[in-house]
PDB file of all heavy atoms in Angstrom:
ATOM      1  N   VAL A  56       7.083  12.853  10.285  1.00 98.00           N
ATOM      2  CA  VAL A  56       7.078  14.278   9.958  1.00 98.00           C
ATOM      3  C   VAL A  56       8.451  14.601   9.393  1.00 98.00           C
ATOM      4  O   VAL A  56       9.459  14.285  10.019  1.00 98.00           O
ATOM      5  CB  VAL A  56       6.894  15.156  11.214  1.00 98.00           C
ATOM      6  CG1 VAL A  56       6.789  16.622  10.804  1.00 98.00           C
ATOM      7  CG2 VAL A  56       5.712  14.718  12.036  1.00 98.00           C
ATOM      8  N   ILE A  57       8.478  15.244   8.244  1.00 99.00           N
ATOM      9  CA  ILE A  57       9.767  15.634   7.688  1.00 99.00           C
ATOM     10  C   ILE A  57       9.972  17.126   7.921  1.00 99.00           C
ATOM     11  O   ILE A  57       9.161  17.957   7.500  1.00 99.00           O
ATOM     12  CB  ILE A  57       9.860  15.290   6.183  1.00 99.00           C
ATOM     13  CG1 ILE A  57       9.829  13.775   5.990  1.00 99.00           C
ATOM     14  CG2 ILE A  57      11.178  15.813   5.588  1.00 99.00           C
ATOM     15  CD1 ILE A  57       8.468  13.168   5.862  1.00 99.00           C
ATOM     16  N   ASP A  58      11.056  17.453   8.630  1.00 99.00           N
ATOM     17  CA  ASP A  58      11.491  18.836   8.861  1.00 99.00           C
ATOM     18  C   ASP A  58      10.449  19.737   9.522  1.00 99.00           C
ATOM     19  O   ASP A  58      10.054  20.775   8.955  1.00 99.00           O
ATOM     20  CB  ASP A  58      11.982  19.467   7.544  1.00 99.00           C
ATOM     21  CG  ASP A  58      13.357  18.960   7.129  1.00 99.00           C
ATOM     22  OD1 ASP A  58      14.016  18.281   7.939  1.00 99.00           O
ATOM     23  OD2 ASP A  58      13.776  19.261   6.000  1.00 99.00           O
ATOM     24  N   PRO A  59      10.034  19.383  10.744  1.00 98.00           N
ATOM     25  CA  PRO A  59       9.062  20.232  11.436  1.00 98.00           C
ATOM     26  C   PRO A  59       9.681  21.539  11.937  1.00 98.00           C
ATOM     27  O   PRO A  59      10.377  21.561  12.940  1.00 98.00           O
ATOM     28  CB  PRO A  59       8.593  19.354  12.606  1.00 98.00           C
ATOM     29  CG  PRO A  59       9.742  18.448  12.885  1.00 98.00           C
ATOM     30  CD  PRO A  59      10.420  18.213  11.556  1.00 98.00           C
ATOM     31  N   ALA A  60       9.369  22.606  11.249  1.00 98.00           N
ATOM     32  CA  ALA A  60       9.836  23.932  11.664  1.00 98.00           C
ATOM     33  C   ALA A  60       9.234  24.302  13.007  1.00 98.00           C
ATOM     34  O   ALA A  60       9.873  24.928  13.850  1.00 98.00           O
ATOM     35  CB  ALA A  60       9.443  24.964  10.607  1.00 98.00           C
ATOM     36  N   VAL A  61       7.982  23.912  13.168  1.00 98.00           N
ATOM     37  CA  VAL A  61       7.196  24.245  14.361  1.00 98.00           C
ATOM     38  C   VAL A  61       6.378  23.021  14.727  1.00 98.00           C
ATOM     39  O   VAL A  61       6.283  22.078  13.944  1.00 98.00           O
ATOM     40  CB  VAL A  61       6.255  25.442  14.093  1.00 98.00           C
ATOM     41  CG1 VAL A  61       7.057  26.730  13.901  1.00 98.00           C
ATOM     42  CG2 VAL A  61       5.381  25.184  12.878  1.00 98.00           C
ATOM     43  N   ALA A  62       5.763  23.026  15.895  1.00 98.00           N
ATOM     44  CA  ALA A  62       5.047  21.843  16.358  1.00 98.00           C
ATOM     45  C   ALA A  62       3.533  21.932  16.182  1.00 98.00           C
ATOM     46  O   ALA A  62       2.903  20.992  15.671  1.00 98.00           O
ATOM     47  CB  ALA A  62       5.369  21.598  17.831  1.00 98.00           C
ATOM     48  N   GLU A  63       2.953  23.029  16.617  1.00 98.00           N
ATOM     49  CA  GLU A  63       1.491  23.075  16.760  1.00 98.00           C
ATOM     50  C   GLU A  63       0.728  22.765  15.470  1.00 98.00           C
ATOM     51  O   GLU A  63      -0.147  21.890  15.464  1.00 98.00           O
ATOM     52  CB  GLU A  63       1.075  24.410  17.393  1.00 98.00           C
ATOM     53  CG  GLU A  63      -0.315  24.378  18.009  1.00 98.00           C
ATOM     54  CD  GLU A  63      -1.407  24.499  16.950  1.00 98.00           C
ATOM     55  OE1 GLU A  63      -1.227  25.259  15.982  1.00 98.00           O
ATOM     56  OE2 GLU A  63      -2.434  23.799  17.083  1.00 98.00           O
ATOM     57  N   PRO A  64       1.058  23.416  14.341  1.00 98.00           N
ATOM     58  CA  PRO A  64       0.310  23.113  13.102  1.00 98.00           C
ATOM     59  C   PRO A  64       0.530  21.673  12.632  1.00 98.00           C
ATOM     60  O   PRO A  64      -0.340  21.106  11.973  1.00 98.00           O
ATOM     61  CB  PRO A  64       0.898  24.101  12.076  1.00 98.00           C
ATOM     62  CG  PRO A  64       1.650  25.115  12.863  1.00 98.00           C
ATOM     63  CD  PRO A  64       2.060  24.477  14.138  1.00 98.00           C
ATOM     64  N   VAL A  65       1.677  21.099  12.984  1.00 98.00           N
ATOM     65  CA  VAL A  65       1.980  19.733  12.577  1.00 98.00           C
ATOM     66  C   VAL A  65       1.122  18.752  13.384  1.00 98.00           C
ATOM     67  O   VAL A  65       0.506  17.833  12.827  1.00 98.00           O
ATOM     68  CB  VAL A  65       3.483  19.429  12.779  1.00 98.00           C
ATOM     69  CG1 VAL A  65       3.786  17.965  12.497  1.00 98.00           C
ATOM     70  CG2 VAL A  65       4.330  20.353  11.908  1.00 98.00           C
ATOM     71  N   LEU A  66       1.067  18.978  14.695  1.00 98.00           N
ATOM     72  CA  LEU A  66       0.230  18.130  15.548  1.00 98.00           C
ATOM     73  C   LEU A  66      -1.233  18.248  15.126  1.00 98.00           C
ATOM     74  O   LEU A  66      -1.966  17.249  15.071  1.00 98.00           O
ATOM     75  CB  LEU A  66       0.407  18.529  17.019  1.00 98.00           C
ATOM     76  CG  LEU A  66       1.808  18.259  17.597  1.00 98.00           C
ATOM     77  CD1 LEU A  66       1.987  18.949  18.954  1.00 98.00           C
ATOM     78  CD2 LEU A  66       2.062  16.754  17.717  1.00 98.00           C
ATOM     79  N   ALA A  67      -1.661  19.459  14.789  1.00 98.00           N
ATOM     80  CA  ALA A  67      -3.049  19.678  14.379  1.00 98.00           C
ATOM     81  C   ALA A  67      -3.343  18.968  13.057  1.00 98.00           C
ATOM     82  O   ALA A  67      -4.394  18.332  12.906  1.00 98.00           O
ATOM     83  CB  ALA A  67      -3.328  21.180  14.255  1.00 98.00           C
ATOM     84  N   ALA A  68      -2.407  19.053  12.113  1.00 98.00           N
ATOM     85  CA  ALA A  68      -2.619  18.432  10.799  1.00 98.00           C
ATOM     86  C   ALA A  68      -2.687  16.912  10.919  1.00 98.00           C
ATOM     87  O   ALA A  68      -3.479  16.258  10.235  1.00 98.00           O
ATOM     88  CB  ALA A  68      -1.501  18.832   9.843  1.00 98.00           C
ATOM     89  N   ALA A  69      -1.866  16.342  11.791  1.00 98.00           N
ATOM     90  CA  ALA A  69      -1.896  14.893  11.996  1.00 98.00           C
ATOM     91  C   ALA A  69      -3.215  14.483  12.663  1.00 98.00           C
ATOM     92  O   ALA A  69      -3.867  13.520  12.235  1.00 98.00           O
ATOM     93  CB  ALA A  69      -0.709  14.452  12.841  1.00 98.00           C
ATOM     94  N   ALA A  70      -3.614  15.246  13.666  1.00 98.00           N
ATOM     95  CA  ALA A  70      -4.852  14.928  14.395  1.00 98.00           C
ATOM     96  C   ALA A  70      -6.062  14.991  13.468  1.00 98.00           C
ATOM     97  O   ALA A  70      -6.951  14.122  13.513  1.00 98.00           O
ATOM     98  CB  ALA A  70      -5.024  15.899  15.570  1.00 98.00           C
ATOM     99  N   GLU A  71      -6.068  16.012  12.618  1.00 98.00           N
ATOM    100  CA  GLU A  71      -7.150  16.196  11.642  1.00 98.00           C
ATOM    101  C   GLU A  71      -7.349  14.954  10.788  1.00 98.00           C
ATOM    102  O   GLU A  71      -8.463  14.614  10.403  1.00 98.00           O
ATOM    103  CB  GLU A  71      -6.713  17.329  10.715  1.00 98.00           C
ATOM    104  CG  GLU A  71      -7.745  18.322  10.294  1.00 98.00           C
ATOM    105  CD  GLU A  71      -7.029  19.478   9.587  1.00 98.00           C
ATOM    106  OE1 GLU A  71      -6.670  19.300   8.399  1.00 98.00           O
ATOM    107  OE2 GLU A  71      -6.775  20.509  10.246  1.00 98.00           O
ATOM    108  N   ARG A  72      -6.228  14.309  10.445  1.00 98.00           N
ATOM    109  CA  ARG A  72      -6.286  13.134   9.572  1.00 98.00           C
ATOM    110  C   ARG A  72      -6.400  11.833  10.359  1.00 98.00           C
ATOM    111  O   ARG A  72      -6.479  10.755   9.764  1.00 98.00           O
ATOM    112  CB  ARG A  72      -5.019  13.088   8.704  1.00 98.00           C
ATOM    113  CG  ARG A  72      -4.990  14.209   7.684  1.00 98.00           C
ATOM    114  CD  ARG A  72      -3.633  14.321   7.009  1.00 98.00           C
ATOM    115  NE  ARG A  72      -3.665  15.292   5.921  1.00 98.00           N
ATOM    116  CZ  ARG A  72      -3.598  16.622   6.087  1.00 98.00           C
ATOM    117  NH1 ARG A  72      -3.489  17.134   7.306  1.00 98.00           N
ATOM    118  NH2 ARG A  72      -3.659  17.426   5.048  1.00 98.00           N
ATOM    119  N   GLY A  73      -6.359  11.924  11.686  1.00 98.00           N
ATOM    120  CA  GLY A  73      -6.384  10.715  12.489  1.00 98.00           C
ATOM    121  C   GLY A  73      -5.078   9.943  12.426  1.00 98.00           C
ATOM    122  O   GLY A  73      -5.052   8.737  12.634  1.00 98.00           O
ATOM    123  N   TRP A  74      -3.987  10.640  12.103  1.00 98.00           N
ATOM    124  CA  TRP A  74      -2.671  10.008  12.014  1.00 98.00           C
ATOM    125  C   TRP A  74      -1.901  10.228  13.311  1.00 98.00           C
ATOM    126  O   TRP A  74      -1.934  11.320  13.884  1.00 98.00           O
ATOM    127  CB  TRP A  74      -1.850  10.598  10.864  1.00 98.00           C
ATOM    128  CG  TRP A  74      -2.431  10.365   9.503  1.00 98.00           C
ATOM    129  CD1 TRP A  74      -3.513   9.594   9.180  1.00 98.00           C
ATOM    130  CD2 TRP A  74      -1.962  10.937   8.268  1.00 98.00           C
ATOM    131  NE1 TRP A  74      -3.745   9.647   7.823  1.00 98.00           N
ATOM    132  CE2 TRP A  74      -2.815  10.451   7.235  1.00 98.00           C
ATOM    133  CE3 TRP A  74      -0.910  11.799   7.933  1.00 98.00           C
ATOM    134  CZ2 TRP A  74      -2.633  10.812   5.893  1.00 98.00           C
ATOM    135  CZ3 TRP A  74      -0.727  12.152   6.594  1.00 98.00           C
ATOM    136  CH2 TRP A  74      -1.583  11.657   5.591  1.00 98.00           C
ATOM    137  N   THR A  75      -1.196   9.209  13.765  1.00 98.00           N
ATOM    138  CA  THR A  75      -0.364   9.323  14.952  1.00 98.00           C
ATOM    139  C   THR A  75       1.096   9.443  14.535  1.00 98.00           C
ATOM    140  O   THR A  75       1.620   8.559  13.843  1.00 98.00           O
ATOM    141  CB  THR A  75      -0.537   8.069  15.846  1.00 98.00           C
ATOM    142  OG1 THR A  75      -1.930   7.954  16.175  1.00 98.00           O
ATOM    143  CG2 THR A  75       0.283   8.193  17.119  1.00 98.00           C
ATOM    144  N   ILE A  76       1.729  10.521  14.948  1.00 98.00           N
ATOM    145  CA  ILE A  76       3.130  10.743  14.578  1.00 98.00           C
ATOM    146  C   ILE A  76       4.024   9.792  15.372  1.00 98.00           C
ATOM    147  O   ILE A  76       4.003   9.778  16.597  1.00 98.00           O
ATOM    148  CB  ILE A  76       3.526  12.208  14.835  1.00 98.00           C
ATOM    149  CG1 ILE A  76       2.748  13.129  13.880  1.00 98.00           C
ATOM    150  CG2 ILE A  76       5.044  12.397  14.688  1.00 98.00           C
ATOM    151  CD1 ILE A  76       2.832  14.603  14.229  1.00 98.00           C
ATOM    152  N   THR A  77       4.797   8.963  14.640  1.00 98.00           N
ATOM    153  CA  THR A  77       5.700   8.017  15.287  1.00 98.00           C
ATOM    154  C   THR A  77       7.171   8.366  15.063  1.00 98.00           C
ATOM    155  O   THR A  77       8.028   7.857  15.773  1.00 98.00           O
ATOM    156  CB  THR A  77       5.444   6.583  14.767  1.00 98.00           C
ATOM    157  OG1 THR A  77       5.556   6.583  13.339  1.00 98.00           O
ATOM    158  CG2 THR A  77       4.051   6.100  15.151  1.00 98.00           C
ATOM    159  N   GLN A  78       7.432   9.209  14.050  1.00 99.00           N
ATOM    160  CA  GLN A  78       8.819   9.552  13.736  1.00 99.00           C
ATOM    161  C   GLN A  78       8.922  10.999  13.265  1.00 99.00           C
ATOM    162  O   GLN A  78       7.973  11.545  12.704  1.00 99.00           O
ATOM    163  CB  GLN A  78       9.352   8.677  12.585  1.00 99.00           C
ATOM    164  CG  GLN A  78       9.331   7.193  12.864  1.00 99.00           C
ATOM    165  CD  GLN A  78      10.082   6.436  11.779  1.00 99.00           C
ATOM    166  OE1 GLN A  78      11.173   6.821  11.360  1.00 99.00           O
ATOM    167  NE2 GLN A  78       9.496   5.330  11.335  1.00 99.00           N
TER     168      GLN A  78
END
Side-chain angles (χ1 to χ4, degrees):
V56 184
I57 294 88
D58 285 350
V61 292
E63 200 281 322
V65 174
L66 294 168
E71 220 170 78
R72 291 169 173 79
W74 296 353
T75 302
I76 294 168
T77 55
Q78 300 189 45

